[in-house]
Amino acid sequence: MTRQAQSRIKSNAKSSTKTANGATAVTVDEVDQSTDLRRWRLLDDRGRQTWHYLETDEEVKGWPQSTADKYFLGLPLNLPDLPPAKTPLASAKNVLSFLSKLQLAPGNWGCEYGGPMFLLPGLVVTWYVTETPIPAPFATEITRYLFARQNPKDGGWGLHIEAESSVFGTAMNYVVMRILGVSEEDQRMVKARGMLHQLGGAVNGPHWAKFWLSVLGVMEWDAVNPVPPDLWLLPDWVPIAPWRWWIHMRQVFLPMSFVYSKKFSYPLTPLTRRLREELYIQPYASIQFHSHRNTISPRDNYHPKTALLRTINWALVNIWNPYLRTEYIRKRAEDWAFDLIQREDENTDFADLGPVNGPMNTLACYIHDGAESYSVKRHRDRLHDFLWVKSEGMLMNGTNGVQTWDTSFVIQAVIEAGMAEDPKWREMLTKALEFLDDQQIRENVREQQICYRQQRKGAWAFSTKAQGYTVSDCTSEALKAVILLQRIPGFPAHISDERLKDAIDTLLTMQNASGGFSSYETQRGSEYMEYLNAAEVFGRIMIEYDYPECTTATVTALSLFTKHYPDYRAKEIARVKDAALKYIRRAQRADGSWYGSWGICFTYAGMFALESLASVGESYSNSERIRRACEFLLSKQMPDGGWGESYRSCETGVYTHHERSQVVQTCWACIGLMEAELPDRAPLEKALRMVVGRQGSMGQWEQEAIEGVFNKTCMISYPNYKFIFPIKALGMFAKRFGNLELL
Ligand code: LAN
């Protein structure tokens, strides 16, 4: 793209938004090209990851592109070929050599964290309505990404990169393209529109789509089911009070309710005027929006609204809002909601919990504080933390990164493979340890009770300390990595015993009455709350649940801690572990499997559950339960020796094969079976032979199918898993059976 065209997009975005005139669409050729990928750099500032496009040759010279940058961008790496690996340890060494080149300056690993296709729209609509200039290289790369991820057959987009096209994905990403300057006459846009119209147009979108379209001014608020901030005024004892909801739901509901109450809509621009015609199958003026609150295409309707919720919505629209909601109530509700929004911003330094409430909080601040306020400026800056550039263009990550999570796993995998003592990896591991040292959360949030936050002192977040939300398994995995590494001679003991105990103290507050562990908090409400699930596209979102994954991580962290600190809260820890293991046993299905919520699906959960039970000595030889779990896994092994499970398992709750075996899932299954001490080596050998056979000449594995999931329906990528889990599985195999030749 020419510099001239680039600056045009920039000035279009600026002028259109400033004057509220709308972006004059630039021609397709102009946005349909790539930027110069050799000019992108990832900056990692104590875990804060942002991408920068260097405009001048001087800048390029002063800031060379790293191997990690090149890898993420799909540029040639020019790394020498490694000697082909025949044994598990040689293979693990090769991949570690590759992975070590991807370590980022502060010591962490990073990667794209894409998958969901509903995140960029929230960001780009927010940019548009808050009149935030969109840098030209960003616009170029976002459109390139969305075109790359458009369904080649029907022209639409789905909920996530592998999903079938839906109204949510298609309407929202269509809007993104148009905001970024793609012409409605582009053949691919014509096709996308065709798909959208085939699905009945944007009136058939789910709740969140209707919300964003109303904010943009291309739908009427009458079509949006109520999001009453008034709920925040309910006393805490009320069973449905929002503080009891799963944190991701309540932190999204919070700014959403504020914006809904304000009925904020961006004034019409030439672009939005056009969109009003493009998104529907009938003229805009003729649409009865109030009759579309509950219209939804079957493709988007994973969790249909219950009769109860529809009745409540009806009463809110027809009785509460017009007759009972006084000005006093409105004001109090909005004030309190905004107070909580400010607390979230303060507690996270505007990073916010995730990629949905980040843009929404930005919008709420824009409405409340104004365009020139500190809060809006800081938000605008922070929103960049969610963006990522890869070979296909720019996407929005599911969090502000995977820093702590992946780093903890790398450390543990290397230790498991017996490679941590090798001086070759000392510097890499020391830096990783320093990262975890820096990222431990050292204090609770101010007035934690008032903002309903969980204790967090001593914890680790999934991404960074700035985001600052403890997650039971993120804290546990980091804690294990630190304890294990700090005990190996040659590594500094940066993290004191006191700080390890802080982590334990926090973990001990995170157990549910059932014995299981959830993600961010304990379960605060009843499962009946799912009757009020208004976001039709997701399942099991209203409250925290017990998860075998989170429970296992916590159990094993507690065990490891007690091994080294036998006197600290030992009785309590024993009790907590006991109850947790009872939950793991209870959660096993009759066929021997466990349902996984954060990775796909039975394979992922099986690995964790078997690790839990192994930690208390349950194995194939002494436990019928473990034998059943092994039989389940073995029954799914594919003819090439690998495992391959489709994401459909997560949606349906029934094990579904992928067409092809997957390296990551094969390693998960092998790890589980080895934890179980499966006596038969043959299936493991066959599996790992397949894995090593697919290894690339630089030690890498290629990306296969998507690995992770949330809320049953939305998949999310964990690209580093294809390096981490082979190291662990191959290392475990060599430890148990010797470093045999596999190939
Ligand atoms: C994550 C990512 C990590 C994940 C594990 C640590 C793997 C898990 O064991 C516990 C739950 C957790 C922390 C998790 C929760 C939900 C997240 C944050 C995500 C799957 C990444 C993206 C997702 C978030 C909800 C996406 C935004 C979408 C909404 C519906 C608000």
Side-chain angles (χ1 to χ4, degrees), residues 455 479 497-508 558 561-574:
Q455 171 176 330
L479 184 67
D497 292 356
E498 283 321 302
R499 287 170 59 191
L500 299 178
K501 289 175 187 166
D502 287 343
I504 294 292
D505 290 346
T506 285
L507 280 178
L508 291 178
L558 293 174
F561 175 83
T562 307
K563 193 168 143 201
H564 296 291
Y565 302 87
D567 300 330
Y568 189 72
R569 300 184 69 176
K571 270 200 196 124
E572 249 168 294
I573 290 178

Side-chain angles (χ1 to χ4, degrees), residues 195-257:
M195 183 66 216
L196 178 60
H197 290 179
Q198 208 180 311
L199 295 172
V203 287
N204 282 345
H207 190 214
W208 289 13
K210 286 171 173 157
F211 169 84
W212 282 119
L213 295 175
S214 303
V215 164
L216 183 60
V218 299
M219 186 175 268
E220 302 298 314
W221 279 104
D222 288 348
V224 185
N225 268 316
V227 200
D230 322 4
L231 286 188
W232 290 100
L233 300 178
L234 291 173
D236 286 353
W237 58 262
V238 175
I240 62 156
W243 74 276
R244 299 175 185 276
W245 305 6
W246 185 45
I247 187 122
H248 278 282
M249 283 307 115
R250 73 171 189 268
Q251 292 296 35
V252 168
F253 177 82
L254 177 66
M256 205 180 198
S257 69

Side-chain angles (χ1 to χ4, degrees), residues 113 118 208 246 248-249 252 355-356 398-399 405 462 471 473-474 519-520 538 550 598 710-711 716 718:
Y113 195 36
F118 61 96
W208 289 13
W246 185 45
H248 278 282
M249 283 307 115
V252 168
V356 180
T399 57
W405 182 249
F462 177 72
V471 183
D473 54 354
C474 300
S519 54
Y520 298 78
F538 304 121
C550 299
W598 307 112
F710 58 91
N711 304 349
I716 187 158
Y718 287 82

